[in-house]
Amino acid sequence: MNLFADAEQENRERAKPLAARMRPKTLAEFCATVRGAPFLAVDTEFVRERTYFARLCLVQVASAEHGAVIDMLAPRLDTEPLQALLCDPAIVKVFHSAGQDLEIFFRAFGSVLGPVFDTQIAASVAGHGDQPGYGALVSAILGERVDKASQVTDWALRPLTERQIAYALEDVTHLARLYPILAAELQRSGREAWIAEEMAALVDVSRCDIDPLQAWRRIKLRHATRKALAVLREVATWREQTAIARDLPRGWVLRDDALTEIALNAPADEKQLERVRGLKPGFARSADGAAIVSAINRALATPEDWPPAPERRNGPNADSSLVALLQALLRLRCEAHGVAARMVATRDDLERIAIGAAPEMPVFEGWRRIVFGDDALALCAGRIALTGDGTGVREVTLAATDADRGVEA
């Protein structure tokens, strides 16, 4: 599926009324109306403060000409037409910062809504700043202001006000206008393949499907040992499974700070568990406290299955001067390509490059290697240098060394 199909045509058709408010008799009627569109702008409104899973309240959908706000809490709502529409592989689904929306739809429909186009990622690649917010992007590209008054409203309360509905619909009408403009920019700059790599990663099922066994990997543990990681894995798995079963935020079951303290100290019984900071009074003597102690004992009983120790960098730490040079080079190359630096490499990436310990990083794959990866390696090898020319920093290619030519000393 070409994410950029008909982008120029849609851009030329912007003179037409965009996403005019429809009042179809049924959801099926609306879905039939927009079924032939090459793309659909999609957004959601949900509440999640008191639950593990987001409670989907609204789905907003707009083509270049039509739009609708769908009340997902309406009694006896048949969502099959909407599912068929959004799961259609012939239609590009356009989101802004798609992560949470895709997770919500995966839970609702059981599948990932591919293909997708994320305007936040696309804007970062097209030179509109580092992870630009939706309002900033609408202002910069469309010259319009987004009404944020209803942004933090309780979308589960009924009835909805006209202002809420207008706000929700506006999100996708602007999005439907942003998409052809951004797609056309990426076409002109020859970056369709770049963005296609990013969008393909978004629809990886592993990003949407919840695996409690992997929950421990989200927790940062200082001075982690294999034993501590084993306890962390077991207790984090219990917490995730419990939060899912009760549909509660994981922090309501067990806070992260308490989880890390348990992992590092491995309390052997309820009395030791009582000493953990951050636990509610009486928690250690509850059924949940007993479950945590059991999880710790399971972890300690199988040392042969403990996770490997964290990878430790060999040799000295990264030289701060070299990291600073890599930062300057990254900024220089990203400015030349009109790409947000954060999209290409992080500070940690630069430190790993500086000590030569990162041959399999994303920065050395695909378009990132073209923009920065190869030049980063060349800088570390002394094949290029950075210098000032009175107006700023510029890159200088150095003459090949004997080693580069394969000449023995």
Side-chain angles (χ1 to χ4, degrees):
M1 175 66 192
N2 183 0
L3 296 177
F4 302 87
D6 299 322
E8 290 285 5
Q9 178 182 350
E10 294 292 342
N11 202 24
R12 289 193 297 271
E13 292 180 355
R14 285 185 57 216
K16 296 181 178 180
L18 288 168
R21 176 72 181 279
M22 288 187 63
R23 292 190 180 274
K25 294 180 180 179
T26 66
L27 175 57
E29 181 183 317
F30 169 76
C31 292
T33 299
V34 299
R35 190 63 187 255
F39 74 89
L40 291 172
V42 185
D43 192 23
T44 64
E45 305 298 344
F46 56 89
V47 292
R48 199 176 201 163
E49 289 80 8
R50 297 175 178 274
T51 59
Y52 182 93
F53 297 107
R55 186 184 184 194
L56 182 57
C57 301
L58 298 180
V59 173
Q60 305 97 275
V61 180
S63 67
E65 297 180 337
H66 305 289
V69 176
I70 301 153
D71 185 357
M72 300 299 287
L73 301 182
R76 297 180 298 280
L77 177 68
D78 178 10
T79 61
E80 192 281 329
L82 179 63
Q83 180 175 351
L85 177 70
L86 297 184
C87 292
D88 187 342
I91 301 174
V92 177
K93 275 67 68 172
V94 182
F95 295 87
H96 184 83
S97 188
Q100 284 197 91
D101 294 316
L102 292 177
E103 289 179 17
I104 290 169
F105 281 121
F106 182 82
R107 174 165 169 77
F109 298 154
S111 60
V112 181
L113 307 188
V116 301
F117 184 96
D118 190 321
T119 55
Q120 185 175 63
I121 295 174
S124 296
V125 173
H128 291 282
D130 188 357
Q131 295 183 317
Y134 176 71
L137 203 58
V138 169
S139 177
I141 295 180
L142 302 180
E144 298 189 22
R145 179 178 173 273
V146 174
D147 179 10
K148 297 183 179 180
S150 299
Q151 192 171 29
V152 293
T153 190
D154 186 346
W155 293 102
L157 291 179
R158 295 294 181 270
L160 295 169
T161 67
E162 285 297 320
R163 186 170 188 176
Q164 284 178 303
I165 295 172
Y167 167 86
L169 185 62
E170 187 180 63
D171 271 357
V172 284
T173 59
H174 288 329
L175 205 55
R177 294 172 59 191
L178 284 172
Y179 167 70
I181 296 172
L182 286 171
E185 288 183 13
L186 292 165
Q187 282 180 320
R188 287 193 294 270
S189 62
R191 296 181 181 178
E192 300 100 319
W194 293 17
I195 203 67
E197 289 180 32
E198 303 303 309
M199 302 311 163
L202 278 179
V203 295
D204 186 333
V205 173
S206 65
R207 296 181 63 141
C208 299
D209 198 9
I210 299 169
D211 182 0
L213 296 178
Q214 301 302 317
W216 66 283
R217 298 185 184 278
R218 293 193 297 265
I219 308 297
K220 300 298 182 183
L221 206 60
R222 292 185 178 181
H223 312 300
T225 62
R226 292 187 65 206
K227 175 183 174 182
L229 290 175
V231 173
L232 175 67
R233 182 174 62 186
E234 284 292 334
V235 178
T237 298
W238 169 83
R239 181 180 73 163
E240 205 75 11
Q241 291 172 335
T242 302
I244 290 172
R246 299 175 186 172
D247 195 18
L248 292 174
R250 60 175 66 92
W252 287 23
V253 176
L254 184 67
R255 286 168 31 185
D256 280 0
D257 55 349
L259 177 57
T260 56
E261 187 175 342
I262 289 169
L264 292 171
N265 294 289
D269 52 37
E270 294 177 4
K271 288 186 177 181
Q272 291 186 19
L273 186 61
E274 283 182 325
R275 297 180 179 276
V276 174
R277 295 177 61 184
L279 296 181
K280 297 177 182 178
F283 180 92
R285 296 185 298 277
S286 70
D288 285 348
I292 289 176
V293 173
S294 294
I296 295 169
N297 290 335
R298 284 197 303 273
L300 300 182
T302 56
E304 66 277 6
D305 293 331
W306 289 354
E311 178 183 335
R312 297 189 181 278
R313 297 173 179 172
N314 296 322
N317 292 329
D319 180 81
S320 59
S321 298
L322 180 53
V323 173
L325 284 175
L326 286 167
Q327 285 181 313
L329 178 62
L330 175 64
R331 184 170 60 252
L332 190 69
R333 303 302 292 134
C334 288
E335 287 175 355
H337 284 83
V339 181
R342 192 183 300 182
M343 286 287 297
V344 179
T346 65
R347 167 79 186 199
D348 186 63
D349 293 336
L350 300 183
E351 291 181 353
R352 296 178 69 191
I353 293 170
I355 61 174
E360 297 180 355
M361 296 163 53
V363 72
F364 297 125
E365 299 174 0
W367 65 271
R368 289 177 175 83
R369 183 171 191 124
I370 297 171
V371 171
F372 176 67
D374 284 335
D375 286 341
L377 294 176
L379 178 68
C380 292
R383 294 193 296 271
I384 63 174
L386 300 179
T387 186
D389 62 0
T391 60
V393 177
R394 66 184 181 90
E395 178 184 326
V396 178
T397 302
L398 303 179
T401 64
D402 287 344
D404 293 327
R405 301 188 188 96
V407 178
E408 294 183 5

